[in-house]
Amino acid sequence: VTRRSLPPDLALALDRAGAIPLSVQLADALRAAAGSGSLRVGERVPATRALAVELGVSRTVTAAAYDQLVAEGWLGPRRGSGTYVLAAPAATPSPGGAPVDAVPDHPEPADDLRPGSPCVAVLDRRAWRRAWRRAGDREPAGRPEHAGVPAYREAVAGLLLHHRGLDVGPGSVLATAGTTDGFAEVVAVLGAAAGRPLRVAVEDPGYRRAVGVLRTAGAEIVAVPVDDEGLDVAAVPTGVDLVWVTPAHQYPLGARLSVARRGALVARARAEGFLVVEDDYDGELRYDVAPLPLLAALAPDAVVHLGTTAKILTPSLGAGWLVAPPAVRESVLARRRATGVRPSPAGQLVVAALHADGGLARHLARLRRELAGRRARVVAAVGASGHAVRGDRAGAHLVVPLPDATTERAVVAAAAALGLVVDDLGAHHLDPEDDARRVHGVLVGWAAPPTAALDAAVSRLGTALARVAGMSGGGAVSA
Ligand SMILES: Cc1ncc(COP(=O)(O)O)c(C=O)c1O
């Protein structure tokens, strides 16, 4: 249920003549309301636009106040679009007298179709344990390895060559703690070199953690639309420093960036002097569709390539990689040396050990088979409920397109009533209320649920879709 206005007992008196910015006053008032219990943990707060109208302030004021409270951890997105009270200030007793903690939000994998988590079910536990033991066989390094564990960098170079067609030696690979962390390092060094806020183009809808990194770094973020050929390269404005893109499988819509657009993007990068960040988060996962050349292979001088083990193994390894033009790579290394902050080697040692005896290649083959089969089951089940799917035969999620935000919210709510958590596209837009930009639908991720639970979960989604179609009096929705 969307909360369209604030609770009536919540007096938000803003002092328009005062010296304190309205956004700060509003953040203070909302924080206090969460502390006093007038806004309860788990409750949905109004959309920034609705609240702006209610309070008679500009939307920048409400957005800035929410951004502040999100950064502090009191507000946050949960279960699809919308902003919720996640926690109340710790010292404040809850209405029941006990301290208020963050709302637990860990549904069972069997009840969770949100994309993002890997398929740990197919991981051979014996090979996994063996790799951890082998990781301990290595002599402890006496000095920090800022570029990463050498055997890991070799393993990644092998993975890139055999699975992604990118021929770079281990010397060109830097270990990272994951995509997001590697991106944060790149943004930090580029921002420091520029000496001003970076101007960065991102896909919209797109990956919100990348946006989070950019917000934290104070970058100016420019939203660029995406369609069934991926990022609309012609819509990238001039004058950007960086373009963030997910060419292998646009996140979240699922298109692969077309060959023509790949060429156009790197040609523009070279001509205009910007860098492209290629987030290849699930590039190893592709089913019966031809591989397309990596941007990093087309233009190694203009592309920062980011990869991760979070989708093919587990995010708990904290192991990713970065391949970048030498100047960027050296700046990242220099920053690591200067700050002493570098990715932890433990997960890298495990990946290297898994790679060494062929276990990683075997795992990838098994993973592809399993995920291809799951995708087919999901497509069949969604199709049987009369709905279309959107997204290429790749990765581990697809989109069920819906006609509008009301239907989207209704499907998320109907799924929740059946105990199922699904994510909608609203949460992946920079501004979910920008109707001109907005793409509507729900996401279906099929990697994380246990094999036996997937069909039941997708069938509950089918029920939710059917209930909403019935409520709106319409039949099947397709795109
Ligand atoms: C679009 C996208 N990029 C990257 C990642 C992986 O990020 P990390 O390696 O930081 O866990 C994810 C995982 O959810 C993702 O969805």
Side-chain angles (χ1 to χ4, degrees), residues 386-432:
H387 287 260
V389 298
R390 178 171 181 178
D392 285 5
R393 291 207 297 274
H397 76 273
L398 51 73
V399 170
V400 179
L402 295 170
D404 51 45
T406 310
T407 312
E408 203 181 60
R409 270 197 300 273
V411 171
V412 171
L418 298 166
L420 185 70
V421 185
V422 291
D423 209 356
D424 64 43
L425 284 176
H428 302 270
H429 278 274
L430 270 185
D431 179 1

Side-chain angles (χ1 to χ4, degrees), residues 376-387:
R377 277 152 61 195
V378 171
V379 169
V382 173
S385 74
H387 287 260

Side-chain angles (χ1 to χ4, degrees), residues 109-110 112-115 249 287 369-401 420 422 442-463 465:
D112 192 351
L113 285 177
R114 290 174 300 180
H249 191 224
Y287 323 112
R369 261 198 314 279
E370 171 73 18
L371 292 183
R374 287 182 177 215
R375 183 178 191 279
R377 277 152 61 195
V378 171
V379 169
V382 173
S385 74
H387 287 260
V389 298
R390 178 171 181 178
D392 285 5
R393 291 207 297 274
H397 76 273
L398 51 73
V399 170
V400 179
L420 185 70
V422 291
V442 290
L443 292 164
V444 184
W446 59 78
T451 310
L454 179 67
D455 292 338
V458 177
S459 130
R460 272 186 284 165
L461 176 64
T463 307
L465 288 163

Side-chain angles (χ1 to χ4, degrees), residues 115-117 176-182 203 206-210 244 246 249-252 279-282 306-311 315 319-320 397:
S117 303
T176 66
T179 307
T180 316
D181 207 63
E203 298 168 326
Y207 184 42
R208 53 193 157 189
R209 281 170 67 195
W244 167 275
T246 47
H249 191 224
Q250 201 276 326
Y251 191 84
D279 173 11
D280 198 42
Y281 66 105
D282 65 1
L306 295 171
T308 180
T309 55
K311 306 294 167 180
H397 76 273

Side-chain angles (χ1 to χ4, degrees), residues 358-370:
L360 184 57
R362 280 192 296 278
H363 168 71
L364 279 175
R366 224 177 9 252
L367 181 66
R368 262 194 221 103
R369 261 198 314 279
E370 171 73 18

Side-chain angles (χ1 to χ4, degrees), residues 77-360:
R78 280 183 54 218
R79 300 196 174 187
S81 63
T83 305
Y84 292 80
V85 181
L86 290 189
T92 315
S94 71
V100 178
D101 237 336
V103 176
D105 189 22
H106 297 291
E108 290 297 319
D111 300 324
D112 192 351
L113 285 177
R114 290 174 300 180
S117 303
C119 184
V120 289
V122 299
L123 192 56
D124 175 346
R125 297 302 195 274
R126 288 222 317 266
W128 178 245
R129 277 194 297 273
R130 206 166 46 236
W132 277 92
R133 277 198 302 273
R134 293 241 173 100
D137 289 343
R138 187 199 188 226
E139 274 301 301
R143 295 199 187 134
E145 291 164 321
H146 289 104
V149 172
Y152 174 74
R153 298 169 71 199
E154 264 172 46
V156 171
L159 189 79
L160 287 171
L161 180 62
H162 296 298
H163 295 276
R164 307 298 295 124
L166 184 65
D167 189 3
V168 293
S172 299
V173 174
L174 286 193
T176 66
T179 307
T180 316
D181 207 63
F183 184 49
E185 291 187 281
V186 169
V187 167
V189 299
L190 294 179
R196 54 166 173 79
L198 294 176
R199 187 157 189 256
V200 184
V202 299
E203 298 168 326
D204 187 41
Y207 184 42
R208 53 193 157 189
R209 281 170 67 195
V211 170
V213 164
L214 293 168
R215 287 215 169 109
T216 307
E220 181 194 347
I221 303 168
V222 188
V224 179
V226 292
D227 59 24
D228 288 334
E229 282 188 63
L231 178 81
D232 182 354
V233 172
V236 173
T238 53
V240 295
D241 299 295
L242 212 58
V243 176
W244 167 275
V245 63
T246 47
H249 191 224
Q250 201 276 326
Y251 191 84
L253 296 186
R256 296 183 312 144
L257 189 66
S258 67
V259 172
R261 289 196 185 170
R262 285 171 195 248
L265 181 60
V266 298
R268 278 195 61 185
R270 283 175 167 153
E272 298 169 33
F274 61 74
L275 276 175
V276 176
V277 176
E278 173 172 50
D279 173 11
D280 198 42
Y281 66 105
D282 65 1
E284 298 87 355
L285 306 175
R286 190 180 65 240
Y287 323 112
D288 306 323
V289 285
L292 298 174
L294 287 184
L295 298 179
L298 294 175
D301 51 313
V303 175
V304 176
H305 177 87
L306 295 171
T308 180
T309 55
K311 306 294 167 180
I312 54 174
L313 287 164
T314 153
S316 65
L317 288 169
W321 54 88
L322 177 162
V323 176
V328 177
R329 192 173 70 227
E330 287 310 315
S331 303
V332 169
L333 272 176
R335 182 170 181 273
R336 290 182 184 178
R337 287 192 203 98
T339 60
V341 179
R342 61 190 178 279
S344 159
Q348 298 170 33
L349 288 168
V350 175
V351 176
L354 262 181
H355 173 76
D357 68 355
L360 184 57

